[in-house]
Amino acid sequence: MQQKKRFKTLLTASILAGAAASMALSSAEAQTLDRIKTSSSLKLGYEPDARPFSFKTEQATPGGYAVALCGKIADSLKTALNLPQLNVEWVPLTDKGREPAIKDGTVDLVCGAEPITLTRRAEVSFSLPIFPSGTGVVLSKSAPLALTEVLAYGQPTSRPIWRGSPARTILEHKTFSSIAGTTSERWLADRIKTFQLAATSVPVESYAIGIERVVDGSSAALFGDMPLLMDAAARSDNAGNLVVLRRHFTYEPLGLELARGDEDFRLAVDRALSQTYASADFVDLFTTWFGVPDEAIVTFFRQTALPE
């Protein structure tokens, strides 16, 4: 009897200790806003070579679309926390250094753009989407109209893309490029194989090289991540002769990364993004990095913004 009582006592102590540890962990994870308010500082991570989302400018300061959004988040936090001043510390990160920096508190938020996937969500949390990314395509404005229609709408008349005639005929015997090692490379190779097209897939190492192939006619089109295609085409010397079609062949929304378990901080970030998307000057912010958005893009952000 005494042994049974002792066992119950130990079991109760173990449960209480586990609960205390869990509460301590939750408390530690939820301290971001408290720390920001106490220190009047916000630690933002960015990648110096991840244009157009984040990069180091010629003045050695952070720049880019995601960096601009984080600036809006900082302004929102300063107001929400009633801080007379908020010091923003920019921490340069490598691709492999993002996750450890988030987990160990080196940064509060990563101002980049990572695909929001279930695998990544097992390690970090994400903000609302900041860009409706996925595989897109760029081609020359002088490309045959039929090819442009097939890639833009899936058909030149009423037949589906990649199969049947005349869509299949239009795609046959063409050379298409994609960015090596990306979803676009795998997607393009799979389409050609699945539909047994007599077309050639040529992976390239960079967007600049892929754009050159489109300009000189070596490739009929270049497939890659939509925002990076838009940026590369806009910065090309031949920008006026290129068109990035507004069609997503795959869909991979991108978000800002932050630590898991800190819902109060995530809510503050999402509130700031929602207010930014709904603001009158958001189109100008977007246009700075990607050109004037079409109605589909505007609708995406309007629907992404959460109501109060």
Side-chain angles (χ1 to χ4, degrees):
M1 186 74 171
Q2 189 171 2
Q3 186 176 4
K4 183 184 244 185
K5 187 175 180 181
R6 184 181 176 189
F7 173 76
K8 288 178 69 176
T9 300
L10 290 172
L11 180 61
T12 302
S14 176
I15 292 173
L16 289 173
S22 177
M23 289 175 65
L25 178 60
S26 297
S27 176
E29 289 176 334
Q31 293 305 307
T32 304
L33 290 179
D34 289 340
R35 188 201 60 73
I36 293 171
K37 187 169 185 176
T38 301
S39 65
S40 295
S41 67
L42 175 65
K43 298 178 290 185
L44 299 176
Y46 79 103
E47 291 183 61
D49 190 23
R51 190 183 179 100
F53 293 101
S54 71
F55 60 93
K56 183 176 288 187
T57 67
E58 294 179 357
Q59 293 73 37
T61 57
Y65 172 67
V67 168
L69 289 179
C70 281
K72 297 291 187 180
I73 292 170
D75 291 341
S76 177
L77 288 172
K78 180 181 176 182
T79 300
L81 298 176
N82 195 26
L83 295 172
Q85 182 176 353
L86 179 60
N87 299 313
V88 177
E89 177 186 355
W90 291 97
V91 182
L93 301 172
T94 62
D95 181 49
K96 292 182 179 179
R98 287 197 320 267
E99 187 177 311
I102 295 170
K103 289 184 174 181
D104 66 19
T106 299
V107 299
D108 300 316
L109 182 69
V110 175
C111 303
E114 183 73 8
I116 303 173
T117 66
L118 293 175
T119 299
R120 290 295 296 147
R121 283 180 59 189
E123 303 297 333
V124 298
S125 188
F126 285 94
S127 68
L128 291 176
I130 65 166
F131 198 96
S133 189
T135 299
V137 65
V138 60
L139 64 165
S140 171
K141 286 185 177 179
S142 61
L145 178 59
L147 175 63
T148 302
E149 289 179 340
V150 167
L151 293 177
Y153 309 116
Q155 55 188 21
T157 52
S158 61
R159 294 175 175 81
I161 192 168
W162 301 116
R163 64 170 79 224
S165 176
R168 183 186 183 92
T169 302
I170 293 167
L171 296 168
E172 295 271 36
H173 308 297
K174 297 285 192 304
T175 296
F176 299 103
S177 290
S178 58
I179 305 301
T182 66
T183 301
S184 62
E185 180 187 15
R186 296 187 294 274
W187 178 86
L188 179 59
D190 179 68
R191 295 285 82 76
I192 290 175
K193 179 180 179 180
T194 298
F195 299 116
Q196 299 180 338
L197 288 173
T200 303
S201 172
V202 179
V204 295
E205 293 302 316
S206 70
Y207 285 86
I209 294 174
I211 291 289
E212 284 183 18
R213 289 184 61 88
V214 170
V215 171
D216 67 21
S218 302
S219 294
L222 169 67
F223 291 87
D225 293 339
M226 180 70 82
L228 303 187
L229 283 176
M230 293 168 69
D231 176 68
R235 292 192 294 121
S236 170
D237 292 338
N238 294 280
N241 297 320
L242 298 168
V243 57
V244 180
L245 302 183
R246 296 302 195 241
R247 180 182 184 185
H248 285 82
F249 296 91
T250 65
Y251 180 58
E252 301 171 81
L254 307 177
L256 306 176
E257 296 172 292
L258 59 156
R260 295 187 70 195
D262 195 340
E263 289 304 306
D264 287 341
F265 182 54
R266 181 183 177 189
L267 175 61
V269 169
D270 286 347
R271 175 174 284 116
L273 289 175
S274 293
Q275 292 170 346
T276 299
Y277 297 161
S279 68
D281 62 350
F282 176 68
V283 169
D284 290 336
L285 186 155
F286 185 93
T287 301
T288 299
W289 305 105
F290 303 109
V292 179
D294 60 17
E295 187 56 35
I297 291 285
V298 172
T299 299
F300 169 83
F301 284 107
R302 189 183 300 128
Q303 294 176 343
T304 298
L306 299 176
E308 285 291 343

